[in-house]
């Protein structure tokens, strides 16, 4: 019988396998690295950034904060369902999508006005809940939402209408589309998850193209800008796995702080940023060499990280704020 991994709730995430050791304390952020501190709601706070980089969206418990990146000022606030578990932006940047761990629909918010719009219903006829990470297809046609305990993804048309489910043979924790929208990577666990699994699916048919192996209990997955490499943060290691997607092999395993929950790749593909919640650190990884360049001690519980399209700004959610960091000073 499979050992089920609990749903990742609020400020704590459960990792299967042996307990990880705490990483050594790291030096604090450089004094000139923090450009702004933007107050947000009760953690955990999930982050997304608009494709043009003009807005950052911080989804906390029952609150979505819209931040203008040119002024680092709050442009609007929306009330969303509690127990937020994910946030995403549509490819046109006009809508923000969020989901609560107990929800049965995707909350839709106008990115410019912070007005709550008509939600997108997910699967009917089953007990709601269990939904997690989500991503919109690059063509803006639908949003895919993972459901870890029930082992499927819900696919909801962004224009409205009936969602469908695609059953999996794994417990998905993240969903990531290739830029051309033809393939999608689903990251998660099978069986005991002493090693993690990445399934590459053909979007049109939803058939599995290939299956890759990564580190234990993978939580997040990101692609390099050129699509040749994949990165997973592994809760049970704790580590960052770097995969060569051509050969399908892990080319490097990089030790990072305990509970690596946040992951972002710089637009030039040279750096990978990993936020580790329990360790309280932000690791800056050389993507090519597979080594840690620097590790910074953060103020409190760094959860998520996103990077501006020009790579100059790095946004990290901490306990009750979003920090705006100078990418050049990290």
């Amino acid at each position: 019988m499979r050992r089920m991994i609990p749903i990742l709730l609020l400020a704590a995430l459960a990792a299967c396998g042996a307990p990880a050791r705490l990483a050594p304390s790291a030096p604090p952020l450089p004094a000139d690295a923090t450009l702004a501190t933007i107050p947000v709601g009760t953690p955990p706070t999930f982050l997304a950034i608009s494709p043009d980089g003009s807005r950052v969206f911080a989804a906390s418990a029952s609150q979505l904060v819209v931040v203008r990146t040119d002024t680092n000022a709050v442009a609007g606030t929306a009330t969303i369902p509690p127990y937020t578990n994910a946030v995403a932006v549509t490819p046109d940047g006009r809508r923000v999508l969020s989901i609560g761990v107990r929800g049965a629909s995707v909350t839709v918010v106008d990115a410019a006005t912070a007005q709550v719009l008509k939600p997108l219903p997910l699967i009917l006829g089953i007990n709601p809940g269990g939904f997690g990470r989500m991503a919109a297809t690059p063509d803006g046609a639908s949003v895919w939402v993972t459901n870890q305990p029930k082992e499927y993804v819900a696919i909801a048309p962004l224009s409205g209408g009936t969602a469908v489910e695609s059953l999996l043979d794994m417990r998905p924790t993240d969903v990531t589309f290739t830029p051309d929208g033809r393939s999608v990577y689903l990251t998660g666990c099978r069986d005991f998850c002493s090693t993690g699994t990445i399934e590459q699916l053909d979007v049109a048919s939803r058939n599995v193209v290939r299956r890759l192996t990564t580190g234990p209990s993978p939580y997040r997955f990101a692609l390099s800008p050129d699509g040749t490499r994949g990165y997973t943060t592994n809760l049970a290691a704790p580590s960052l796995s770097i995969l060569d997607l051509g050969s399908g092999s892990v080319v490097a395993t990089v030790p990072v702080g305990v509970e690596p929950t946040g992951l972002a790749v710089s637009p030039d593909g040279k750096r990978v940023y990993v936020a580790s919640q329990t360790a309280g650190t932000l690791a800056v990884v050389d993507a090519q060499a597979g080594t840690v360049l620097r590790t910074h001690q953060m103020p409190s519980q760094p959860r998520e990280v996103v990077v501006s399209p020009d790579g100059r700004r790095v946004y990290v959610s901490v306990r009750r704020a979003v920090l705006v960091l100078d990418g050049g000073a990290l």
Side-chain angles (χ1 to χ4, degrees):
M1 180 180 294
R2 290 182 175 179
R3 180 176 64 179
M4 297 301 293
I5 296 179
I7 300 172
L8 307 178
L9 290 172
L10 300 178
L13 289 127
C16 64
R21 294 180 299 169
L22 291 175
S25 59
L29 280 169
D32 60 346
T34 303
L35 304 177
T37 300
I38 304 164
V40 295
T42 304
T45 298
F46 296 85
L47 296 180
I49 189 166
S50 61
D52 64 1
S54 64
R55 298 285 191 275
V56 166
F57 307 98
S60 303
S62 304
Q63 184 185 72
L64 176 73
V65 174
V66 181
V67 178
R68 285 184 51 170
T69 57
D70 57 347
T71 61
N72 295 325
V74 174
T77 302
T79 299
I80 58 177
Y83 309 116
T84 303
N85 216 27
V87 63
V89 187
T90 55
D92 61 9
R94 297 173 61 185
R95 289 174 288 176
V96 188
L97 312 173
S98 69
I99 186 74
V101 72
R102 296 179 181 175
S105 62
V106 174
T107 300
V108 182
V109 177
D110 186 288
T113 65
Q115 178 184 358
V116 178
L117 306 175
K118 184 179 179 179
L120 300 173
L122 296 176
I123 308 304
L124 302 177
I126 63 172
N127 292 330
F131 293 108
R133 290 284 173 178
M134 65 173 74
T137 55
D139 63 4
S142 62
V143 58
W144 290 41
V145 190
T146 63
N147 195 305
Q148 181 180 350
K150 299 183 179 75
E151 300 189 8
Y152 72 86
V153 288
I155 303 172
L158 284 169
S159 59
T162 303
V164 298
E165 69 176 35
S166 184
L167 296 175
L168 306 170
D169 60 353
M170 64 183 296
R171 304 184 296 279
T173 58
D174 206 358
V175 52
T176 308
F177 289 95
T178 55
D180 62 11
R182 297 174 64 181
S183 293
V184 62
Y185 290 94
L186 292 167
T187 306
C189 291
R190 304 175 76 205
D191 301 321
F192 288 89
C193 207
S194 56
T195 57
T197 298
I198 301 169
E199 290 189 346
Q200 181 184 356
L201 274 64
D202 174 77
V203 171
S205 67
R206 302 203 293 272
N207 291 330
V208 176
V209 176
R210 62 175 176 165
R211 187 174 288 120
L212 310 175
T213 298
T214 186
S217 299
Y219 179 58
R220 298 299 312 277
F221 178 85
L223 286 168
S224 63
D226 63 6
T228 63
R229 287 193 166 192
Y231 306 91
T232 63
T233 56
N234 310 306
L235 295 180
S239 64
L240 173 76
S241 292
I242 303 178
L243 295 94
D244 182 316
L245 295 179
S247 65
S249 61
V250 175
V251 296
T253 300
V254 185
V256 293
V258 174
E259 206 170 82
T261 52
L263 175 65
V265 182
S266 64
D268 61 9
K270 294 181 178 181
R271 290 183 172 188
V272 181
Y273 299 94
V274 180
S276 298
Q277 181 169 293
T278 296
T281 58
L282 178 70
V284 183
V285 176
D286 184 314
Q288 186 60 40
T291 57
V292 176
L293 295 171
R294 284 169 292 280
T295 300
H296 303 287
Q297 194 70 42
M298 301 296 288
S300 63
Q301 296 182 336
R303 179 59 182 260
E304 293 268 296
V305 54
V306 295
V307 185
S308 63
D310 61 8
R312 297 175 59 188
R313 299 289 181 264
V314 177
Y315 301 85
V316 181
S317 64
V318 293
R319 183 162 178 76
R320 286 184 175 270
V322 174
L323 302 182
V324 184
L325 306 179
D326 183 343
L330 295 178

